[in-house]
Amino acid sequence: MWIRPGMVHRWSDVNGVDGPLILFRPGFLPDLGPTPAWDLSAPATWHLDQPLRPLALLAADHLRGEHDLAVRMPRLASPALLSHLLAALVLRVRPAEAATPTAGGGGRCHDVFLRYRAAVEEHFTEWHQVADYTRVTGYDRRTLTRATRAAAGVGAKEFLDQRTLLEAKRLLAHTDLPVGRCAQRLGFRDAANFTTFFQRGTGQSPSTWRTADARAARLS
């Protein structure tokens, strides 16, 4: 499980989870080149083939051993060593690299998606329709939808809605803002429109989701 900065996550049964937990600050991991780890649209759960699991656990144990030594004996601590051991673990467990887009349509679709994703990240609290992004990206709606589906597995509108919904959950889970203020932060005209959007995406009203999330946090 890879939990990216800003990601909202809720565990239904944390007692059933077993394995090492590794926390680190942004920038501590060396540059590993393009990787699904940093892609907000990539899956958060990675599945290891059976032969790789013992190797991954061995890398995690090595990292834990060096970390424990650094805590017990700070004079022997080596941030560089810890950073590289973390990199070794990530390289061992991360999903296989996707094939590099070709110079033909695949490469163009990838470039279109990257441009659309950057625009969404900049404007999703203002613009909620794919048509709003055609001007800043230079591509029509059909092109954006085709490229997003090829890169992220969903259409352009669903990708945009997922990003907005993620931020809505973050605001509800990690702030005390009233639902109406959350709606304003996300660019909705009023709380009713925001509630309709949120309920369509989660099956719950914002208030109900917030209450359930708080209850789950107390129980975990």
Side-chain angles (χ1 to χ4, degrees):
M1 173 70 71
W2 182 279
I3 302 174
R4 302 169 182 86
M7 179 177 289
V8 175
H9 53 102
R10 179 169 57 183
W11 300 83
S12 58
D13 183 11
V14 72
N15 293 324
V17 177
D18 183 30
L21 175 64
I22 302 170
L23 307 175
F24 58 94
R25 295 182 181 277
F28 186 73
L29 186 66
D31 182 12
L32 303 179
T35 170
W38 318 127
D39 189 346
L40 292 176
S41 65
T45 304
W46 304 346
H47 297 280
L48 287 177
D49 294 333
Q50 187 61 37
L52 294 179
R53 293 186 62 185
L55 295 176
L57 290 173
L58 181 62
D61 284 342
H62 192 174
L63 175 61
R64 177 168 46 205
E66 288 291 341
H67 178 268
D68 291 347
L69 177 63
V71 171
R72 294 195 314 271
M73 305 179 68
R75 64 184 181 83
L76 297 180
S78 172
L81 178 59
L82 290 172
S83 176
H84 283 80
L85 288 174
L86 176 61
L89 174 60
V90 173
L91 288 171
R92 174 57 66 194
V93 303
R94 72 178 181 179
E97 298 284 355
T100 302
T102 63
R108 179 175 182 272
C109 277
H110 185 68
D111 292 341
V112 171
F113 170 69
L114 292 180
R115 183 173 295 186
Y116 176 60
R117 185 177 65 179
V120 167
E121 195 62 33
E122 183 175 357
H123 297 290
F124 74 91
T125 59
E126 310 165 78
W127 303 341
H128 299 158
Q129 302 300 324
V130 177
D132 297 326
Y133 294 86
T134 58
R135 178 177 54 82
V136 295
T137 62
Y139 298 106
D140 61 28
R141 180 181 182 128
R142 181 178 299 179
T143 301
L144 292 176
T145 296
R146 183 169 58 247
T148 305
R149 192 175 301 281
V154 296
K157 183 63 168 72
E158 186 174 350
F159 181 85
L160 172 59
D161 286 350
Q162 286 179 357
R163 182 63 184 94
T164 308
L165 192 62
L166 174 64
E167 183 65 10
K169 290 180 177 179
R170 190 190 71 79
L171 290 173
L172 292 168
H174 299 295
T175 76
D176 295 324
L177 290 173
V179 171
R181 288 292 307 279
C182 292
Q184 292 176 0
R185 287 275 191 97
L186 293 169
F188 288 87
R189 292 194 303 272
D190 53 49
N193 287 336
F194 171 61
T195 297
T196 299
F197 167 82
F198 192 91
Q199 194 149 10
R200 186 170 61 242
T202 66
Q204 297 177 302
S205 70
S207 297
T208 301
W209 188 93
R210 171 178 266 171
T211 300
D213 179 79
R215 185 184 301 116
R218 290 194 300 270
L219 294 176
S220 62

